[in-house]
Amino acid sequence: MKRVAFAVSLALSLGLPTTALAAEPPDDTAASRAQGPMLELSLAPLYGFGGARHGFGGQAGLGMFSPLWQGEGSTGSLELGLLLGYDHESYGRSDRFLGEGQVDGGTHRIEALLLAGPGLRLAAMPRVRSSLQLYGGWVQAFMHAQLDNELQSISGDYEVSVGVFSTGLALTHRLELAQRVGLDLQVRAPFPMVPAAITSYVFASLGVSVGL
Amino acid sequence: MTVRPHLSAFATLCALAAAGCPAPSPGELTGTVESHTLSSQSVGDDYVLTVRVPPGYDAAGAHPVVFQLDPYLGVLQEFALTASYASQLEADGVIEPTLVVGVGYPEVPGPIEGRFRDYSLPDANGDTLGLGSGGAPAFYDFMHDELTPWLEDHYAVAGPSDRALFGHSLGGLFTMYAALQHDQDDPFVERFVVASPSFWYDSGSIFQIEQAYADEAEDLGLDLFLADGLYEGPEMTVYTDAMAERLAARGYASLSLTVQRYEVDHVRSVEPCFREGLEHHFGGAR
């Protein structure tokens, strides 16, 4: 019951529909969870880190998982998804290499990604579903800043918008709090990783997903 | 909130250019590569020199020279990059057979600790972030007083007007520092490629060094190729612009200043900076 209450509060805070939370307590067998295909809507706050800067934002996802196989100890699925993300990386909050107050502004990052990969649920932990997905999509970064170094009498503006194709891996663990409600922990990172590149941000999110 | 405790780790990550980073693929390196160890009294340490000897090398001739900093830094492999570009440009008839000299480090201190020691400026503003120990003056003395005479003794090298110093990032900071130590009467090199320089270091103390040079000298007789990447952020581009504006405003009669900005990030800027730097200094732009 505590889990459902937590899920309701988290769903409300993220603006997700809560009707699905009124379902019965979950059936704790892997087989019962191997039915599908099933659509899921997810929402999560987002934390990103890269290039000695970090940012905060949110992401929304629409996913589909379809059972592929079922064994005694585990079940497997195919997981597909569409993810939209936004984060803001403030230079003032983490002004890489610069003294305090030298730079204002930041980067607004928008991502649209497609994900695909296998999912796995172990019979020993039937409430947990894990997936490892490849992703690919577009990343658009709007960077604007003003640097002001009084000591050297240097000041200048920086305005750049750049869009790049990005690929990477997303690892997701989903804990089912109720029959159709999950708590999602996701980490995704670009691959190949190119230090200091536009796409070199690692993201972590903790949010909820609801079966539609 | 500050991330400064992470800076050293980030700088190391940048330096290593993480294992998954696709390495630049400059192409075939022609000629032979020779390795030497040279002890430095100025620094009190050994250096591992990697010398690319071009096809068509003439022991009685006078070949252009590139001194390459950060020769072996993770996957960046700047010696291989520059030597390969030189190979291509020689094969295309753009530049003459050119020696490339990688100034590297033995296992200790290694390429990362070595660069932080040698390329960092002395603490002037108390804002070095603990990234370096300010060894640039001693390393400059090594380059000027020890490495260059050694090279002249062992290889057929051209005079300072046909020698270039290439540095990227913290290496670019040192390269700018070396340019501002320029002694017209006794130069060891007169051409410079300052790529994506870390002018932000110690709250921009390189600008104080530039001012000190301007206070003492009326001219700066060298050829400076200053370049960076558009996507490197304000801490790079704003400072690069500021240095270019200051040098241009000095009105030095003998300074040739070229400024370029490429649509790349910090790691990727080595490729266009070094390739076009070679063409600029030793190709048709001469």
Side-chain angles (χ1 to χ4, degrees), chain B residues 34 88 144 231 280:
Chain B
E34 301 173 357
Q88 290 175 3
H144 186 285
Y231 307 141
H280 171 81

Side-chain angles (χ1 to χ4, degrees), chain A residues 15-163:
Chain A
L16 282 172
T18 56
T19 50
L21 303 177
E24 307 83 35
D27 180 352
D28 282 352
T29 63
S32 70
R33 297 163 189 275
Q35 300 163 0
M38 181 174 176
L39 283 175
E40 292 170 327
L41 177 67
S42 63
L43 278 178
L46 192 63
Y47 169 75
F49 180 81
R53 290 199 175 105
H54 49 180
F56 297 94
Q59 67 181 29
L62 182 63
M64 185 193 81
F65 85 98
S66 179
L68 280 183
W69 51 268
Q70 184 172 336
E72 279 193 13
S74 60
T75 59
S77 56
L78 173 65
E79 310 229 356
L80 306 173
L82 168 66
L83 192 66
L84 301 175
Y86 164 81
D87 91 315
H88 179 244
E89 299 140 23
S90 167
Y91 297 159
R93 189 166 53 234
S94 50
D95 46 356
R96 176 174 61 173
F97 303 138
L98 301 178
E100 295 296 328
Q102 275 195 37
V103 63
D104 287 321
T107 296
H108 298 274
R109 181 187 300 268
I110 297 171
E111 299 177 292
L113 308 173
L114 291 173
L115 305 90
L120 180 69
R121 189 197 304 271
L122 299 175
M125 293 186 294
R127 304 172 70 84
V128 176
R129 196 173 92 231
S130 299
S131 65
L132 181 64
Q133 294 169 292
L134 283 168
Y135 70 76
W138 195 254
V139 176
Q140 189 75 33
F142 303 93
M143 299 176 272
H144 68 95
Q146 173 156 14
L147 188 145
D148 189 7
N149 183 333
E150 292 182 6
L151 180 64
Q152 311 295 351
S153 300
I154 292 170
S155 64
D157 294 326
Y158 179 73
E159 291 280 347
V160 174
S161 174
V162 55

Side-chain angles (χ1 to χ4, degrees), chain B residues 8 99 126-127 137 139 144 152 208 242 247 281-282:
Chain B
S8 185
L99 288 158
D127 197 21
F139 184 61
H144 186 285
E152 290 170 342
Q208 292 158 256
L247 289 172
H281 284 309
F282 300 122

Side-chain angles (χ1 to χ4, degrees), chain A residues 162-185:
Chain A
V162 55
V164 290
F165 186 77
S166 176
T167 56
L169 290 169
L171 176 64
T172 307
H173 295 298
R174 175 164 299 153
L175 172 64
E176 294 189 354
L177 302 172
Q179 190 68 33
R180 301 175 71 184
V181 178
L183 179 67
D184 292 358
L185 173 64

